[in-house]
Amino acid sequence: MKIMAYNREKRQRADYMASAGVMLALIIFALCCVSMLLYSAESCKDIADRGAEAWEKRTCQQYLKRRVWQGDMQGAVYAASLKGKDALVLTEMIDGESYSTWIYCSGGRLREYFAESSAEPDLEAGVEVMEAKELYIDTDGNLLTIRTDLTDGTQVCVDICLRSMEEGTE
């Protein structure tokens, strides 16, 4: 009887050890899965953040380029100062009246203001286009350089060649 009880006890210990080994393997597998999920989530967040930053830069660049190219006529695109801040002014004639579109930064936003050319916009009056801290504009002949400081600290720089100011164009 003693031998049978000893064998049963030995078998129970062996079963317990086998069960403990399986449980340990499952716990290790679960920890590996959780750590892989956490690592993957962090990687996805980094990729999404970089994508959002790139999207903001591209959007800002494309917006500025399109607006300048749309208004690129002789003397219709120029840099101006609006209450001490750089502004881009695009003028156009509509039904014999002169209108201006002002593009400038105010209150952490890139803004666009459209009105008769005689009106100068209030800094908070324009339509909000996107988040941006500051707008800097330099001109050198027919080269227009626009630098925008975005709210996340990155800078977007756009160089645009004004075709209307090239020699030989009318």
Side-chain angles (χ1 to χ4, degrees), residues 58-73 76-78 88-92 94 99-104 110-115 127 129-130 135 137 144 146 158 160-164:
R58 282 192 313 270
T59 301
C60 185
Q61 288 174 336
Q62 289 302 316
Y63 168 75
L64 293 170
K65 283 181 183 179
R66 291 287 171 213
R67 293 300 290 142
V68 169
W69 288 339
Q70 287 171 349
D72 190 8
M73 294 176 278
V77 178
Y78 59 93
L88 181 65
V89 182
L90 312 165
T91 58
E92 60 185 299
I94 300 174
Y99 290 89
S100 294
T101 301
W102 291 72
I103 299 172
Y104 57 95
L110 184 66
R111 299 175 184 268
E112 182 177 305
Y113 180 82
F114 178 79
V127 175
V129 176
M130 66 181 299
L135 184 73
I137 302 169
L144 182 67
I146 305 171
V158 180
I160 305 169
C161 183
L162 298 174
R163 290 182 225 126
S164 63

Side-chain angles (χ1 to χ4, degrees), residues 17-35:
M17 292 304 279
S19 297
V22 169
M23 290 301 286
L24 183 62
L26 286 174
I27 290 171
I28 291 172
F29 178 73
L31 289 174
C32 287
C33 288
V34 168
S35 65

Side-chain angles (χ1 to χ4, degrees), residues 4-164:
M4 286 176 98
Y6 177 75
N7 285 340
R8 189 176 335 132
E9 205 175 285
K10 193 175 177 184
R11 196 175 330 126
Q12 283 177 344
R13 255 194 312 249
D15 289 346
Y16 174 74
M17 292 304 279
S19 297
V22 169
M23 290 301 286
L24 183 62
L26 286 174
I27 290 171
I28 291 172
F29 178 73
L31 289 174
C32 287
C33 288
V34 168
S35 65
M36 189 59 113
L37 284 172
L38 292 174
Y39 176 75
S40 297
E42 187 67 29
S43 295
C44 286
K45 183 183 177 300
D46 289 344
I47 291 169
D49 289 346
R50 280 185 275 155
E53 181 181 313
W55 182 84
E56 284 183 19
K57 285 182 179 180
R58 282 192 313 270
T59 301
C60 185
Q61 288 174 336
Q62 289 302 316
Y63 168 75
L64 293 170
K65 283 181 183 179
R66 291 287 171 213
R67 293 300 290 142
V68 169
W69 288 339
Q70 287 171 349
D72 190 8
M73 294 176 278
Q74 189 67 38
V77 178
Y78 59 93
S81 179
L82 179 62
K83 297 184 177 139
K85 295 181 175 258
D86 285 355
L88 181 65
V89 182
L90 312 165
T91 58
E92 60 185 299
M93 295 296 287
I94 300 174
D95 295 331
E97 300 271 339
S98 178
Y99 290 89
S100 294
T101 301
W102 291 72
I103 299 172
Y104 57 95
C105 280
S106 175
R109 303 277 186 198
L110 184 66
R111 299 175 184 268
E112 182 177 305
Y113 180 82
F114 178 79
E116 290 182 348
S117 292
S118 60
E120 185 174 294
D122 179 39
L123 287 176
E124 301 300 319
V127 175
E128 294 179 2
V129 176
M130 66 181 299
E131 291 184 0
K133 283 196 282 189
E134 200 64 51
L135 184 73
Y136 303 98
I137 302 169
D138 292 317
T139 56
D140 183 15
N142 65 334
L143 181 65
L144 182 67
T145 302
I146 305 171
R147 185 178 52 118
T148 309
D149 292 342
L150 300 179
T151 54
D152 64 0
T154 59
Q155 292 184 342
V156 176
C157 190
V158 180
D159 291 324
I160 305 169
C161 183
L162 298 174
R163 290 182 225 126
S164 63

